[in-house]
Amino acid sequence: MRIEQVTATAYTVPTDAAEADGTLAWDSTGMVLVTITAGDRSGIGWTYGPRACAWIVRDVLHDELVGGEPWDIPKLHSAMVAACRNLGQAGVASYAVSAVDVALWDLKAKILQVPLHRLLGSAGERVAVYGSGGFTSYDTHVLVEQLRNWRDDRIPRVKIKVGENWGRATARDLERIALTRDVVGADCEVYVDANGAYGRKQAIRVAQACGEARVTWFEEPVSSDDLVGLAQVRAAVRSDVAAGEYGTGAYYFRQMCAAQAVDCLQADATRCGGITGWLRAATIASSFGLQISGHCAPHVHVAVAGSVPNLRHLEWFHDHVRIESMFFDGVCSPTGGFIAPNNEPGLGLSFNEDEAEPYRV
């Protein structure tokens, strides 16, 4: 059986409210869907990125894939990475490779007629998730409503954005953190994500000022490129420091772990090389005695995350959950704070073209 067809389609989905974090504001989310066909089977994969990812799939990766055997994912993955050399292998090129790699794994499992989590092998029957959103652009009413929805779903971990306006609104940051604790109650973990907005000592001051909110996860307190700064913050605060969502290769993750910059490594399978790249990141984290957390795109991650013993959790990210619930049948429920893949072949999802068509670009 040989790969016969590779297609890539881009979509833009407006957000349901104004969204911002510490360093960026946006009003839509881009998604690129890849479909790979071999015989009478098709696999799907996707990334959250610009439509340039679709161009890379069609014009750069296509010829590396058509005619190849869908079993040979390592070979095809290496060929795609090599083909992107002159584009720059990080950034949108890696996002495109990631979407294709996910589709290859989905296709392989569908050819074998097994769920992807069975093909990969399970380390557990379900994976923990945390509610993620809490954008700095939300007013109090919207933030409280979102937190209550997670609480009603009995998700015992929630994350909000802080570092508003590049760290220029720390008083409001602290107010929102305290409000989050009040809404979710004493038994829920509270996480914050600054998206690199703070300076080193500012991040330490914010962590120390959280007080009774008991923040247990501090994501990107400073830029994820500032490994020295991350390590300094990590050494000074009680919260676990996390980063890695922008990683696009094994060397990036190894550098971050070797610098002792994080307590938990993050990796995003829609950016770091797909299922193949995410498994490599998990192995690197394990070699440093660290856990790994899946960043965003929960339905891409659920099967592979459940296959590694050093998983901490997955991000149940508002934007991506909303899009995946709109575009796919077979999505998971986070009730109780865990999700489990279904037992349909591959990722267990089917793409709803009618729902997605209005957002096609």
Side-chain angles (χ1 to χ4, degrees), residues 46 48 98 102 116-117 120 127-129 245 266-275 277-279 292-308 311 313-317 320 324 332 339-341 347 349:
W46 65 96
Y48 290 99
S98 299
V102 172
L116 181 56
H117 68 97
L120 294 168
V127 297
V129 297
E245 66 189 64
Q266 292 178 285
D268 186 332
T270 73
R271 295 174 174 176
C272 73
I275 303 295
W278 202 90
L279 287 170
I292 189 167
S293 177
H295 173 263
C296 290
H299 293 92
V300 167
H301 287 99
V302 59
V304 67
S307 74
V308 299
L311 176 76
H313 44 40
L314 297 181
E315 182 171 16
W316 193 253
F317 181 59
H320 296 178
E324 289 166 11
C332 303
I339 60 174
L347 290 167
L349 302 172

Side-chain angles (χ1 to χ4, degrees), residues 130-168:
Y130 64 90
S132 173
F135 303 107
T136 60
S137 50
Y138 281 178
D139 62 24
T140 299
H141 172 76
V142 175
L143 175 60
V144 168
E145 182 180 15
Q146 186 175 70
L147 292 169
R148 285 175 175 167
N149 287 338
W150 292 330
R151 186 187 64 188
D152 292 346
D153 281 335
R154 294 181 285 110
I155 299 176
R157 312 158 202 92
V158 301
K159 185 177 82 178
I160 67 168
K161 300 291 190 180
V162 295
E164 182 178 351
N165 192 21
W166 286 92
R168 297 186 180 95

Side-chain angles (χ1 to χ4, degrees), residues 249-251 253-254 257 265 279-290:
Y251 188 60
F253 296 117
R254 184 183 180 280
C257 293
L265 183 68
L279 287 170
R280 291 172 181 171
T283 299
I284 291 167
S286 180
S287 74
F288 285 90
L290 298 175

Side-chain angles (χ1 to χ4, degrees), residues 11-34:
Y11 302 88
T12 299
V13 182
T15 58
D16 57 358
E19 294 184 357
D21 56 32
T23 59
L24 189 68
W26 61 95
D27 59 10
S28 64
T29 299
M31 174 186 168
V32 173
L33 181 86
V34 171

